[in-house]
Amino acid sequence: MTVPGRRSSTFMRLLRSGFTDSAAAARLLDSDALASVRTDPVLLDALGATADPDLALLGLVRLAEAQSEDERPVLLDTLVSAKPLRDRLLGVLGASEALADHLARHPRDWHALVTYEAADLHPGLAEFEQGLAQAHDPIALRVAYRRCLLSIAARDVCGTIDVAQTAAELADLATATLRAALRIASAAAPEDAAACRLAVIAMGKCGGNELNYVSDVDVIFVGDAPAGPGGADEGKAVQAATRLASHLMRICSETTIEGTIWPVDANLRPEGRNGPLVRTLASHLAYYQRWAKTWEFQALLKARAVAGDPDLGAQYIDAITPLVWQAAERENFVADVQKMRRRVVDNIPAAQVDRELKLGPGGLRDVEFAVQLLQLVHGRSDAGLHSGTTLDALHALAAGGYVGRTDAAQLNDAYRFLRAMEHRIQLYRLRRTHLVPEDEADLRRLGRSLGLRTEPVVELNKAWRRHASVVRRLHEKLFYRPLLDAVAQLAPGEARLSPRAAGQRLEALGYADPASALRHLEALASGVTRKAAIQRTLLPVMLGWFADSADPDAGLLNFRKVSDALGKTPWYLRLLRDEGAAAENLARVLSAGRLAPDLLMRAPEAVALLGDPEGLGPRTHEALDQEVLAAVGRAESAEAGVAAARGVRRRELFRTAAADIIRSYGTEDSPAEEDPGALVDRVGSAVSDLTAATIAGALRAAVRHHWGETLPTRFAIIGVGRFGGHELGYGSDADVLFVHEPREGVDEQEAAKAAQTVIAEMRRLLQLPTADPPLLIDADLRPEGRSGPLVRTLSSYAAYYRRWSLTWESQALLRAEPVAGDAEIGARFIELIDPLRYPMEGLGEDAVREIRRLKARMESERLPRGADPTLHTKLGRGGLSDVEWTVQLIQMRHAWSEPGLRTTRTREALAAAHAAGLIPTEEAQILDEAWVLATRVRNAVMLVRGRAGDTFPSEARELAAVGRYLGYAEGTVGELLDDYRRITRRARAVVDDLFYGA
């Protein structure tokens, strides 16, 4: 019986030793099973050194209780006298509940830990085969397998072997197990074994000698007829081999009283689970040469013959090896590899992505895919890279100069830590999982098992996140740093990569013209100047951002142009080096298309906008007006004044385009904006305000040039169409109406002549050949169209509308709004037209029929010849015209009684119609989604191509760039087109209902 004082002292000692439940631990120590050692301080210290002392003590008591009367003293005496064995046994019991269960069922198996104690031997394949040799049925094989596994786990948790050795021994044990299972299957069906040759090819982590504790063992089976005369025919041989292979899989995979060894997965075979389980070598080769996808060759990189007929296995490896190292020459090789990695990430449940140690971003698969991609690219000409083991391959890549040594060392450390976490997580219950646990006790045990003892949970999370971060960012350095070392030629005559190897690297990353890209890199990064040194710091990550775009070549070329223009400007490289956002923003902008880079090349100093936290925010109409009018006022001539105004426009167009690109693509620190409608509204308002300010500046310049400060007539410019609706895109013309009213005492003819003159002068000035994009003013929506006078007085407009106005002209006025000139005249014009566009009691049926007839005629006559009506953003099915005419018809019918409909903006009018109950919720959402998507496609086409267009580009890179702007990953443009057709098809159904009354 334990006295109270001693019990209190014991509790304190247990707490100090790392036990979390001192009371339960004290009771276990008092058990009869540990009577001879319960007070031994060595035992308590050893328990406290385990990952989970409570778990270790419980397992020890269970193991001692399971011993016979004769065996228990042997166990306990050995436990306190033999330190290596004590550490191994308690280490296993404190890390693995499953292996503790095994020892409780098979209490003599602790002797397996003694086997390697004396010389601290590391068992290999031969030792494992010997350990399994006496297993003649599946249950015995499971017991023997766990006994061998026990020896690996014991040395692993004690640090006798590192994570790479652990993984290699697990792969050797799996190889021995496959051979034993095939031996058992062959003994059960000797006639099948005699009728065929069967080779088992290990794939995945088993093939790469880097297996987990619990993992599917991926295999491929190759069958053939026996060699020599009298062998079975090929068909019968394959059938016999299939029966053997199926039995082998059942032996390993089926659950018995001793649990499961691990599932044998043959789904990496040709055609996957739909293909035959066993094929001949000739059948395998025929498939790989004709049908195999890129990922299948990537998987074959780890293929290794492990069991069955050794000659057949060797023939298979010899035959497929050349195919593996030619895979990088396949069309779309890199895109296919990247697509497969994205698919893996996309398939992770959202609730698990942050805990996914293997498949998540910054996880093990990131390392493996990056290493394999480099292997497949450079292994074509360097056989030293032909390893299926990730860490060995990484070492070879570093030794060959394909990866920087420092980067390889950091990646090696991160990979080892993540694999060690994965091993210890699986070891606990021998379950196949890659999720970091959430329970505090599980995290504590995991941290302690990795040597983190002060604050195990805090230290574990910190180390895990740090290593994951290293993995995430080293993808870029893994690819780019050695490439720069090659082109920079820091040591004269020495390059770590040959030009050919560097060119292969760039080609593998998606650069279409590696030779040109190398020339750009050499021009930017070679030499010993401070500029070159900073560029060498910047370029690794920038090359990664360029490669993440649809046109990395254009991004790199544009970056060279900007750097050539600004390289001697002291703030430029300092901005990119010190302001991470500026460098990433610049890379995104330069590689997203032609428009933004073209604008930037005309004024490279606008790069400064990308580093200012407020630099990409839209400016107000008032601020733009003030800047433009002030610049015109300071100019000595009309040409200089408008040149200044156009310079402001160019800079602000770049600001708007850059903000649009960055918000659409997102950055490392800021994800893409979720609301596409907000992007569209922001661009439409910014471009419309900028156009209005530019026109106001041209008007001021033209008036000052001819008349000083006062024009003989009061003059206003009315924006119509997208301009009046604040919906201009990057490629839109400015649709306007001109209105004037003679000043008091001025002759009408003189006033009209002055108005005509100022319009002509504005147009001339805005279209002068300069480095800035022209601004086209279109007045074709005026009364009588092109045949009518360019400008009218208010009274002339009133007379025309009173007598001659047609329904379509009233419809065109729905988006009329003053944009420049005399504010009072503009307001009076709006007052004049309101009764036309918002008619009292709405439209009559004749007018409605007329609008429908005009729309139907436009659909049949104005769609360009050969254009796909399902993909034309303006006139196609469910496109801009469909939505806008539907909304405008509702406005003309109901705005007289619904004030919310009296707006020039399409989306505002649509929302008001919904709020008024004129459009059901679902239909309003469908129309809004289609209009926003079509508008974004038009903006994307202009950003990508540098010229306006109403259809998707036909050129593959341009179409891919449009897709990236719209949020579609590389290689998914087919989904983009399908989505566009689906969304606009739904919109057209709503239009047929609401507009045509179908």
Side-chain angles (χ1 to χ4, degrees):
M1 178 177 178
T2 305
V3 299
R6 184 178 299 172
R7 178 178 292 276
S8 176
S9 173
T10 302
F11 283 175
M12 293 303 298
R13 189 175 179 190
L14 289 170
L15 285 173
R16 287 194 298 271
S17 297
F19 287 86
T20 58
D21 189 343
S22 299
R27 286 194 300 272
L28 288 170
L29 284 170
D30 279 342
S31 67
D32 292 340
L34 301 183
S36 64
V37 297
R38 68 164 65 102
T39 60
D40 194 316
V42 170
L43 176 62
L44 200 59
D45 290 342
L47 286 167
T50 65
D52 188 337
D54 301 86
L55 185 66
L57 177 56
L58 175 61
L60 178 60
V61 171
R62 294 176 63 203
L63 175 60
E65 290 175 342
Q67 302 297 313
S68 67
E69 291 296 327
D70 295 335
E71 285 289 329
R72 185 181 302 165
V74 176
L75 169 67
L76 298 180
D77 290 346
T78 307
L79 192 65
V80 295
S81 62
K83 181 180 184 331
L85 185 140
R86 176 175 62 244
D87 291 343
R88 289 175 181 174
L89 177 57
L90 296 183
V92 167
L93 294 175
S96 178
E97 184 181 84
L99 288 178
D101 290 343
H102 172 83
L103 285 170
R105 288 196 307 273
H106 304 281
R108 292 187 57 80
D109 276 5
W110 68 271
H111 290 284
L113 302 181
V114 180
T115 307
Y116 304 102
E117 179 183 354
D120 199 26
L121 298 174
H122 295 168
L125 178 58
E127 287 76 18
F128 289 132
E129 285 195 283
Q130 183 178 354
L132 304 179
Q134 300 306 312
H136 299 298
D137 61 73
I139 292 180
L141 180 60
R142 281 158 175 70
V143 175
Y145 173 83
R146 289 288 174 91
R147 186 182 306 119
C148 293
L149 189 66
L150 183 66
S151 69
I152 298 175
R155 286 172 297 109
D156 175 21
V157 298
C158 291
T160 306
I161 54 177
D162 66 10
V163 67
Q165 291 172 301
T166 301
E169 289 191 15
L170 289 168
D172 283 344
L173 177 56
T175 298
T177 304
L178 288 169
R179 293 179 180 181
L182 182 57
R183 170 172 49 79
I184 294 171
S186 299
E191 65 285 357
D192 284 338
C196 70
R197 300 163 67 202
L198 175 64
V200 183
I201 311 298
M203 304 286 286
K205 290 190 181 301
C206 184
N209 283 297
E210 52 187 11
L211 196 61
N212 299 332
Y213 276 103
V214 187
S215 175
D216 290 356
V217 171
D218 296 306
V219 299
I220 287 176
F221 295 110
V222 187
D224 206 345
D233 65 48
E234 187 177 278
K236 291 182 178 179
V238 169
Q239 291 175 3
T242 300
R243 288 190 291 271
L244 286 178
S246 298
H247 193 181
L248 180 155
M249 294 175 70
R250 289 195 304 274
I251 290 171
C252 295
S253 305
E254 287 182 348
T255 301
T256 70
I257 191 173
E258 293 292 339
T260 301
I261 300 178
W262 19 247
V264 176
D265 188 341
N267 287 339
L268 290 179
R269 67 186 185 268
E271 300 181 80
R273 66 185 60 188
N274 296 320
L277 182 63
V278 178
R279 289 175 183 257
T280 63
L281 177 57
S283 176
H284 275 96
L285 289 177
Y287 173 85
Y288 290 131
Q289 290 166 350
R290 186 170 184 182
W291 304 109
K293 298 180 175 60
T294 298
W295 70 263
E296 294 179 271
F297 294 107
Q298 184 181 354
L300 286 169
L301 190 154
K302 292 181 178 294
R304 180 170 64 95
V306 294
D309 190 295
D311 292 335
L312 183 58
Q315 291 171 26
Y316 176 88
I317 298 300
D318 290 343
I320 61 98
T321 296
L323 302 179
V324 171
W325 301 110
Q326 295 165 8
E329 300 170 7
R330 293 165 62 91
E331 186 177 357
N332 299 320
F333 163 72
V334 175
D336 288 344
V337 174
Q338 292 172 337
K339 186 188 299 182
M340 183 177 177
R341 176 67 189 121
R342 285 195 302 272
R343 188 183 301 122
V344 169
V345 175
D346 291 343
N347 287 335
I348 301 173
Q352 297 179 2
V353 69
D354 290 335
R355 299 192 294 122
E356 177 54 76
L357 195 63
K358 176 182 177 181
L359 305 178
L364 292 162
R365 191 57 60 85
D366 266 355
V367 181
E368 292 161 356
F369 264 62
V371 168
Q372 289 165 21
L373 181 59
L374 285 178
Q375 283 184 273
L376 290 169
V377 169
H378 298 293
R380 291 177 288 180
S381 55
D382 188 344
L385 303 179
H386 295 189
S387 172
T389 306
T390 301
L391 289 176
D392 290 348
L394 180 59
H395 176 75
L397 287 166
Y402 303 103
V403 177
R405 293 187 184 277
T406 300
D407 301 332
Q410 290 181 331
L411 202 66
N412 175 81
D413 291 345
Y415 188 73
R416 285 175 179 272
F417 182 84
L418 297 175
R419 283 300 305 273
M421 280 186 68
E422 182 183 45
H423 279 183
R424 303 299 165 80
I425 291 169
Q426 293 182 346
L427 181 59
Y428 176 46
R429 286 181 175 160
L430 289 182
R431 291 179 180 173
R432 184 177 180 269
T433 179
H434 312 287
L435 293 179
V436 177
E438 296 177 292
D439 182 76
E440 187 85 3
D442 289 334
L443 290 171
R444 179 177 182 272
R445 181 183 58 256
L446 178 58
R448 284 173 59 90
S449 76
L450 297 172
L452 307 173
R453 296 302 175 94
T454 306
E455 292 185 80
V457 177
V458 173
E459 293 175 51
L460 173 66
N461 283 319
K462 184 177 180 181
W464 170 33
R465 299 304 179 188
R466 182 180 75 252
H467 285 299
S469 176
V470 166
V471 170
R472 281 198 298 270
R473 77 169 189 276
L474 275 181
H475 165 79
E476 297 151 352
K477 285 192 174 184
L478 196 67
F479 284 133
Y480 309 116
R481 175 60 68 188
L483 189 143
L484 286 177
D485 289 343
V487 300
Q489 302 276 335
L490 294 178
E494 295 182 5
R496 291 177 60 193
L497 290 183
S498 68
R500 180 169 178 264
Q504 289 177 343
R505 178 76 50 82
L506 287 164
E507 183 179 3
L509 295 166
Y511 287 82
D513 189 351
S516 293
L518 279 173
R519 288 195 295 272
H520 299 325
L521 290 176
E522 187 173 5
L524 288 164
S526 61
V528 295
T529 64
R530 181 172 178 78
K531 171 186 172 183
I534 296 176
Q535 289 283 24
R536 286 193 292 274
T537 300
L538 290 170
L539 277 167
V541 68
M542 296 200 72
L543 280 172
W545 289 324
F546 294 145
D548 192 40
S549 73
D551 195 350
D553 299 79
L556 180 56
L557 172 61
N558 290 331
F559 180 65
R560 180 182 175 184
K561 290 179 179 178
V562 173
S563 294
D564 287 346
L566 291 176
K568 295 181 180 179
T569 305
W571 56 264
Y572 167 63
L573 289 175
R574 186 170 63 246
L575 171 75
L576 298 185
R577 181 194 63 197
D578 299 340
E579 299 289 341
E584 185 172 4
N585 289 342
L586 178 61
R588 300 299 185 204
V589 167
L590 293 179
S591 55
R594 297 180 183 175
L595 177 65
D598 285 351
L599 293 169
L600 183 59
M601 299 310 170
R602 293 164 179 169
E605 65 277 2
V607 166
L609 296 173
L610 302 176
D612 181 358
E614 306 298 327
L616 298 178
R619 300 183 65 199
T620 65
H621 189 180
E622 292 74 16
L624 292 170
D625 257 352
Q626 184 178 0
E627 181 181 4
V628 168
L629 294 177
V632 170
R634 292 190 298 267
E636 296 181 356
S637 66
E639 287 80 1
V642 172
R646 291 174 66 182
V648 173
R649 178 172 179 261
R650 175 197 59 232
R651 183 196 68 212
E652 295 303 320
L653 274 177
F654 173 75
R655 186 198 306 270
T656 302
D660 189 16
I661 290 166
I662 291 163
R663 290 188 178 106
S664 295
Y665 280 75
T667 64
E668 191 171 301
D669 298 322
S670 177
E673 189 163 321
E674 293 184 0
D675 182 8
L679 289 169
V680 165
D681 291 344
R682 190 180 293 114
V683 170
S685 293
V687 177
S688 300
D689 288 347
L690 180 55
T691 300
T694 307
I695 289 175
L699 175 60
R700 172 70 63 86
V703 170
R704 290 186 66 213
H705 179 66
H706 288 279
W707 297 278
E709 294 300 322
T710 306
L711 188 66
T713 188
R714 300 174 69 184
F715 182 81
I717 303 173
I718 311 298
V720 291
R722 298 194 176 280
F723 190 11
H726 299 262
E727 297 163 354
L728 285 181
Y730 299 110
S732 301
D733 295 342
D735 291 315
V736 298
L737 301 174
F738 299 112
V739 56
H740 77 106
E741 187 173 82
R743 295 186 184 278
E744 188 174 348
V746 177
D747 180 71
E748 282 198 13
Q749 287 188 344
E750 180 187 351
K753 182 178 180 181
Q756 295 277 359
T757 301
V758 80
I759 293 170
E761 181 69 357
M762 285 171 55
R763 284 180 152 178
R764 181 185 74 84
L765 293 170
L766 288 170
Q767 297 180 49
L768 282 175
T770 68
D772 302 311
L775 175 57
L776 302 179
I777 295 178
D778 188 340
D780 289 352
L781 290 178
R782 64 187 183 268
E784 301 179 79
R786 295 181 181 179
S787 59
L790 193 60
V791 60
R792 291 174 182 262
T793 63
L794 272 171
S795 58
S796 175
Y797 274 108
Y800 176 85
Y801 288 139
R802 184 170 56 251
R803 186 171 182 183
W804 304 108
S805 177
L806 300 173
T807 302
W808 74 265
E809 291 177 296
S810 297
Q811 183 181 352
L813 293 172
L814 282 167
R815 292 196 286 186
E817 185 173 286
V819 294
D822 190 299
E824 183 188 348
I825 296 298
R828 288 167 59 191
F829 180 84
I830 297 301
E831 185 180 351
L832 168 68
I833 66 170
D834 272 353
L836 279 83
R837 56 183 181 175
Y838 311 136
M840 286 296 295
E841 305 300 330
L843 291 177
E845 287 303 314
D846 289 343
V848 171
R849 281 193 294 271
E850 176 65 12
I851 290 175
R852 289 171 174 166
R853 186 186 65 79
L854 285 173
K855 176 70 170 67
R857 179 180 173 187
M858 183 177 69
E859 290 176 10
S860 63
E861 296 180 1
R862 292 183 58 188
L863 191 70
R865 184 186 298 272
D868 184 346
T870 68
L871 294 176
H872 196 279
T873 60
K874 182 178 180 181
L875 302 174
R877 179 193 68 189
L880 297 171
S881 176
D882 270 359
V883 177
E884 289 165 1
W885 280 59
T886 300
V887 172
Q888 289 162 13
L889 180 59
I890 292 173
Q891 286 180 282
M892 296 184 74
R893 298 179 81 171
H894 300 283
W896 66 277
S897 60
E898 293 291 343
L901 291 171
R902 297 171 199 168
T903 174
T904 63
R905 303 177 184 234
T906 301
R907 296 189 73 216
E908 281 188 5
L910 181 57
H914 170 245
L918 300 172
I919 302 181
T921 299
E922 183 178 359
E923 282 81 347
Q925 291 173 345
I926 289 171
L927 293 180
D928 185 71
E929 182 183 21
W931 190 89
V932 167
L933 177 58
T935 302
R936 293 199 74 207
V937 170
R938 293 183 96 202
N939 284 343
V941 169
M942 185 64 188
L943 285 170
V944 169
R945 303 177 68 191
R947 62 181 187 275
D950 291 318
T951 60
F952 288 85
S954 56
E955 200 276 322
R957 278 188 180 263
E958 292 180 344
L959 181 58
V962 168
R964 298 298 291 275
Y965 169 86
L966 294 169
Y968 287 81
E970 184 178 355
T972 60
V973 291
E975 295 178 22
L976 162 63
L977 299 180
D978 289 343
D979 287 348
Y980 184 87
R981 288 189 171 101
R982 174 180 54 80
I983 290 168
T984 53
R985 180 174 65 248
R986 295 174 67 210
R988 178 60 188 213
V990 175
V991 170
D992 286 340
D993 182 31
L994 297 179
F995 182 82
Y996 288 111

